[in-house]
Amino acid sequence: SILTLPLYNMSEKIQAEERQAVKKMEKWTLHIKKTFRGNEKFMMLSEWYRQNNYNPIYALRSTLSILIQIPFFIAAFHYLHESELLKGSSFFIFKDLSLPDALLSLKLNSTAISINILPFVMTAINIISGSFYAKDLTLREKLQMYMLSAVFLVLLYKSPSGLVIYWTLNNLFSLAKNIFKKNLFFCRFAFILY
């Protein structure tokens, strides 16, 4: 994560430029979408985008930070999901890192049900991080972020606890990075005002 910080910073800069461009065009874009239909709407929007040196495909730039994370997640998933090193290894309250955590057990009608708590902790950290990061995002971008958290909850619910710990710590690092960057910005702003 530390080694990829320059990539994250670059992707966040590109995302900020994308949001700024969309926000700048938002008033007339909404007007065109409300006023015109069919080919007229398409032609008007195309011309408006052309005048502003914008292409709707640029909206994909907002997914850059996720695209940077995917190769690392896939590598960690493949490595940790079947790793012999995790079998029988314990860490803190986790007895076997190669198995789901099963920290909560419920007994219903003589049937024991295990609930994996760690994926919910990971999702809670994702949501906290998302709410901290998403203050300036559009509703669509916020929904995408929260849906992505739900997808990771489903994908990682039955995964080995070692993998979920890795992803949770990665999310904590990301949250700490965002908090540090915001505080650094406020410190610079306060220094300039002083």
Side-chain angles (χ1 to χ4, degrees):
S1 293
I2 291 171
L3 293 176
T4 59
L5 272 177
L7 289 174
Y8 285 117
N9 291 338
M10 181 187 70
S11 74
E12 287 177 5
K13 182 181 175 188
I14 291 170
Q15 289 171 333
E17 290 171 0
E18 165 67 16
R19 281 192 289 277
Q20 190 176 14
V22 169
K23 192 169 188 127
K24 178 182 147 192
M25 298 183 312
E26 184 176 37
K27 179 182 173 186
W28 282 103
T29 303
L30 290 174
H31 174 72
I32 291 168
K33 287 181 178 179
K34 286 180 185 177
T35 308
F36 299 98
R37 295 281 173 250
N39 283 339
E40 285 181 279
K41 180 171 86 171
F42 175 78
M43 297 301 282
M44 293 293 283
L45 280 173
S46 296
E47 179 59 23
W48 177 239
Y49 291 153
R50 189 192 63 73
Q51 288 175 4
N52 287 280
N53 297 319
Y54 181 79
N55 190 322
I57 198 83
Y58 294 166
L60 294 176
R61 295 188 299 190
S62 64
T63 62
L64 272 176
S65 64
I66 294 168
L67 293 176
I68 291 170
Q69 293 178 37
I70 287 174
F72 295 101
F73 175 73
I74 291 171
F77 182 83
H78 285 295
Y79 178 74
L80 295 173
H81 202 270
E82 300 292 328
S83 177
E84 292 292 323
L85 296 172
L86 294 180
K87 289 185 180 168
S89 297
S90 64
F91 174 73
F92 191 49
I93 57 174
F94 309 102
K95 295 176 182 133
D96 189 347
L97 294 176
S98 67
L99 300 173
D101 63 80
L103 289 176
L104 184 61
S105 293
L106 300 175
K107 205 158 194 146
L108 298 170
N109 301 332
S110 71
T111 304
I113 298 174
S114 295
I115 298 175
N116 302 324
I117 300 297
L118 198 52
F120 290 104
V121 171
M122 176 197 67
T123 303
I125 291 169
N126 277 347
I127 290 171
I128 291 167
S129 182
S131 64
F132 179 80
Y133 180 75
K135 289 180 182 175
D136 300 329
L137 300 182
T138 65
L139 179 62
R140 189 180 115 246
E141 290 172 321
K142 288 178 185 179
L143 287 174
Q144 285 176 342
M145 190 176 299
Y146 295 130
M147 290 301 293
L148 191 61
S149 295
V151 167
F152 274 107
L153 172 64
V154 171
L155 285 176
L156 296 178
Y157 183 75
K158 292 189 176 189
S159 291
S161 53
L163 175 63
V164 182
I165 289 170
Y166 161 78
W167 199 246
T168 302
L169 291 176
N170 190 38
N171 292 336
L172 273 174
F173 178 80
S174 180
L175 175 62
K177 175 190 69 154
N178 287 333
I179 289 171
F180 177 76
K181 285 175 91 173
K182 290 275 186 187
N183 287 335
L184 187 63
F185 171 77
F186 288 125
C187 289
R188 285 180 186 164
F189 184 71
F191 181 74
I192 290 169
L193 288 178
Y194 179 72

